[in-house]
Amino acid sequence: MMMMMIMMMMMMMIIIIIIIIIIIIIIIIIIIIIIIIIIIIVRLCKLPMEKWNTRLILKTKQEVTQSQPIQIRTGIFQGDSLSPLIFCIALIPLTKELNSADCGYQVHETERKISHLLYMDDMKLLGRNENDLKNEMKIMQTISKDINMNFGLENVQEYV
């Protein structure tokens, strides 16, 4: 009787071990499938990007001259549907830094401050005084260097 119970327990343990091994194999297969899907997506994204090109067209009264194709190797192709989204994502660090600075105007009856208004490539810095604006400009210069994006700070107009 005792021997029978030990045999049953051993069989149950073997079944549990087999189930665990099957679960591990299924997890490994799922991970492999996910990796393959990621590789396919990356290759599908790279393929059209390798073929991105443009041409320069010069129109005069006498003729139209067209350049050879110019391959675009970096950046996002102008007019690509991802361009605005990627541009906005690139500005998230700037927005976070400006929001965390103690600058801007206090929103009536709230803890919230408005330090800037941003719409695509147009930004308005808001400050209570000249020191606020200088601090925000310093933040913009730092982020500009960090993300390697020229904000055209030399064209800034100041209204104090």
Side-chain angles (χ1 to χ4, degrees), residues 83 86-94 118 120-121 140-153:
S83 296
I86 292 173
F87 184 79
C88 291
I89 290 170
L91 292 181
I92 289 173
L94 174 62
L118 177 62
M120 293 311 292
D121 65 343
M140 280 192 70
Q141 288 169 338
T142 302
I143 297 294
S144 175
K145 288 178 189 171
D146 289 348
I147 65 173
N148 197 23
M149 183 182 290
N150 183 1
F151 290 120
L153 298 176

Side-chain angles (χ1 to χ4, degrees), residues 120-152:
M120 293 311 292
D121 65 343
D122 188 25
M123 177 176 281
K124 307 290 185 241
L125 296 177
L126 307 171
R128 297 173 301 235
N129 52 45
E130 193 173 343
N131 285 337
D132 271 7
L133 292 174
K134 285 181 179 178
N135 187 26
E136 291 170 337
M137 285 293 291
K138 187 177 179 183
I139 291 169
M140 280 192 70
Q141 288 169 338
T142 302
I143 297 294
S144 175
K145 288 178 189 171
D146 289 348
I147 65 173
N148 197 23
M149 183 182 290
N150 183 1
F151 290 120

Side-chain angles (χ1 to χ4, degrees), residues 59-125:
K59 292 181 183 180
T60 64
K61 290 181 182 180
Q62 291 84 17
E63 65 180 338
V64 175
T65 306
Q66 194 173 32
S67 74
Q68 294 295 320
I70 301 168
Q71 187 176 8
I72 297 170
R73 295 184 183 162
T74 62
I76 297 296
F77 194 52
Q78 192 72 23
D80 188 289
S81 59
L82 286 178
S83 296
L85 177 61
I86 292 173
F87 184 79
C88 291
I89 290 170
L91 292 181
I92 289 173
L94 174 62
T95 297
K96 283 188 170 200
E97 285 298 315
L98 288 170
N99 284 338
S100 67
D102 187 30
C103 300
Y105 289 102
Q106 191 81 32
V107 177
H108 185 64
E109 296 182 10
T110 67
E111 296 288 318
R112 186 96 171 119
K113 285 187 179 183
I114 298 177
S115 61
H116 64 287
L117 301 173
L118 177 62
Y119 180 75
M120 293 311 292
D121 65 343
D122 188 25
M123 177 176 281
K124 307 290 185 241
L125 296 177

Side-chain angles (χ1 to χ4, degrees), residues 43-57:
R43 285 187 180 165
L44 285 175
C45 289
K46 281 185 176 181
L47 185 64
M49 291 170 67
E50 291 170 355
K51 296 181 180 181
W52 279 354
N53 63 57
T54 190
R55 292 176 184 259
L56 300 177
I57 300 173

